[in-house]
């Protein structure tokens, strides 16, 4: 059989660059959706109320004081002005992610902007009392921007080369991997707490509230299967799965198996426990910060790491 040698077939290096780029573009699409959600006037109207996450019962006194100070500052500056600046900044970040323009600089802005969101409307992911399961949403977005910097994720398509194109150093990949592993370790810790082990079913049941019929039906179907298998068995499986992902990311053991499974596990979380980020309404979502989701960004981070690891391997083989 005759073999066709097509000049436009991509070599391994180019495939990896495209993989990095597509993961980055997917993150850009998510940020663009978040921007559209934040353009709704209702988001501006309840923005200050969201900062109340800092002084929710169970939060430390210093965070409550910080939250009140931030709320006062936003009020003094004008909620409309603050949200307008936020929307402009989010539009710039989404454009940078989608085009690659100045991303090697603007990703730093994405990191610090999302850390600010995490410290205000995210309440630092707290209060960390019975029922907590993760460190919040904006911290995951901040980590995604950090991984773009560490993995040089601005190098996807030849048409959009606006930053340094060198393969990142091994230590950068290690830092990215370990940071993500520590985030999973934090998640795993809360999955081992009695509130989750004995009440995992209630988390899924709660995610059905306010959802469209087909989403609620899908989550209900999954919940039915879990109840048949045993809710506590499922909770232990989730705690073990997240512990294994954390351990693999931190130690580099079985990492090639763990990362693809991490993508699937993250998407499963997003589509069930997070209710695909919903329910969606005028200026709000079911996620802290009124964004598309949290576990969806976990999946994107795994994709970034998979491409970055493949690139490191290719660089090491030369």
């Amino acid at each position: 059989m005759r073999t066709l040698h097509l000049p436009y077939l991509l070599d391994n290096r180019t495939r990896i660059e495209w993989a990095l780029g597509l993961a980055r573009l997917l993150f850009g699409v998510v940020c663009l959706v978040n921007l559209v959600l934040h353009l709704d006037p209702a988001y501006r109207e309840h923005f200050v109320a969201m900062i109340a996450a800092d002084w929710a019962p169970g939060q430390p006194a210093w965070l409550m004081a910080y939250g009140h100070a931030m709320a006062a500052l936003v009020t003094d500056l004008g909620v409309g002005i603050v949200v307008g600046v936020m929307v402009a900044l989010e539009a710039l970040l989404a454009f940078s992610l989608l085009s690659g323009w100045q991303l090697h600089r603007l990703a730093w802005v994405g990191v610090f902007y999302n850390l600010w969101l995490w410290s205000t409307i995210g309440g630092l992911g707290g209060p960390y009392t019975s029922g907590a399961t993760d460190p919040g949403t904006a911290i995951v977005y901040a980590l995604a921007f950090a991984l773009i910097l560490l993995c040089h994720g601005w190098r996807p398509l030849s048409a959009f080369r606006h930053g340094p194109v060198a393969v990142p150093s091994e230590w950068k990949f290690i830092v990215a991997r370990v940071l993500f592993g520590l985030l999973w370790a934090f998640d795993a810790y809360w999955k081992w707490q009695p509130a989750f082990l004995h009440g995992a079913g209630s988390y899924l049941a709660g995610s059905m509230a306010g959802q469209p019929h087909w989403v609620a039906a899908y989550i209900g179907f999954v919940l039915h299967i879990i109840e048949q298998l045993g809710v506590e068995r499922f909770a232990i499986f989730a705690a073990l799965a997240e512990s294994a992902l954390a351990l693999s990311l931190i130690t580099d053991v079985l990492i090639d198996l763990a990362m693809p499974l991490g993508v699937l596990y993250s998407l499963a979380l997003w589509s069930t426990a997070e209710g695909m980020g919903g329910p969606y309404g005028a200026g709000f979502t079911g996620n802290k910060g009124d964004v598309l989701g949290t576990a969806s960004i976990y999946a994107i981070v795994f994709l970034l790491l998979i491409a970055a690891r493949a690139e490191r391997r290719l660089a090491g083989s030369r």
Side-chain angles (χ1 to χ4, degrees):
M1 184 175 179
R2 186 179 177 183
T3 302
L4 295 177
H5 298 282
L6 300 177
Y8 54 81
L9 287 178
L10 304 177
D11 61 21
N12 288 336
R13 174 64 182 274
T14 307
R15 288 192 189 100
I16 291 169
E17 288 189 352
W18 273 82
L20 273 169
L22 290 175
R24 188 208 74 191
L25 291 174
L26 186 58
F27 185 37
V29 170
V30 171
C31 289
L32 187 62
V33 172
N34 293 342
L35 170 65
V36 173
L37 293 170
H38 296 165
L39 286 172
D40 193 300
Y43 177 76
R44 180 180 65 246
E45 291 171 6
H46 73 264
F47 179 75
V48 173
M50 287 194 291
I51 301 179
D54 276 351
W55 60 82
Q59 294 282 41
W62 63 267
L63 184 58
M64 291 184 179
Y66 168 77
H68 284 296
M70 282 292 107
L73 178 62
V74 169
T75 302
D76 291 341
L77 292 174
V79 179
I81 293 175
V82 172
V83 173
V85 171
M86 289 171 58
V87 166
L89 185 57
E90 289 172 10
L92 181 62
L93 290 172
F95 174 76
S96 182
L97 285 166
L98 293 171
S99 70
W101 180 77
Q102 295 297 316
L103 184 56
H104 56 299
R105 296 186 178 93
L106 288 174
W108 285 103
V109 177
V111 171
F112 290 108
Y113 172 64
N114 280 283
L115 287 177
W116 178 76
L117 290 177
W118 184 55
S119 73
T120 52
I121 61 178
L124 295 184
Y128 293 107
T129 55
S130 177
T133 59
D134 57 62
T137 299
I139 186 64
V140 184
Y141 281 78
L143 179 64
F145 276 109
L147 260 67
I148 286 172
L149 290 166
L150 289 167
C151 299
H152 294 191
W154 52 73
R155 300 163 301 125
L157 313 173
S158 59
F160 295 137
R161 292 187 185 278
H162 294 286
V165 296
V167 175
S169 304
E170 177 69 13
W171 72 265
K172 289 186 177 181
F173 175 77
I174 293 173
V175 169
R177 173 172 56 76
V178 171
L179 283 175
F180 196 35
L182 291 173
L183 190 63
W184 275 104
F186 190 90
D187 284 3
Y189 169 79
W190 290 103
K191 296 301 189 299
W192 286 109
Q193 301 308 304
F196 181 80
L197 291 176
H198 303 308
S202 64
Y203 288 91
L204 280 178
S207 67
M208 291 190 285
Q211 296 279 18
H213 174 73
W214 67 273
V215 176
Y218 163 69
I219 298 172
F221 172 72
V222 174
L223 180 58
H224 174 71
I225 294 175
I226 289 172
E227 287 173 343
Q228 295 301 308
L229 297 174
V231 174
E232 290 197 12
R233 286 197 188 99
F234 164 75
I236 292 172
F237 164 77
L240 285 171
E242 297 191 10
S243 298
L245 287 172
L247 186 63
S248 181
L249 286 164
I250 293 170
T251 65
D252 202 29
V253 174
L254 297 176
I255 192 72
D256 291 320
L257 175 63
M259 291 196 294
L261 291 177
V263 174
L264 297 177
Y265 181 77
S266 298
L267 292 176
L269 284 180
W270 179 71
S271 66
T272 54
E274 287 190 14
M276 301 182 189
Y280 295 93
F284 74 88
T285 75
N287 236 81
K288 268 187 179 181
D290 294 337
V291 293
L292 190 61
T294 302
S296 55
I297 308 302
Y298 278 81
I300 292 172
V301 171
F302 271 121
L303 292 174
L304 283 167
L305 285 176
I306 290 170
R309 181 170 174 81
E311 184 175 49
R312 285 300 318 159
R313 262 191 187 156
L314 183 62
S317 66
R318 292 184 175 183

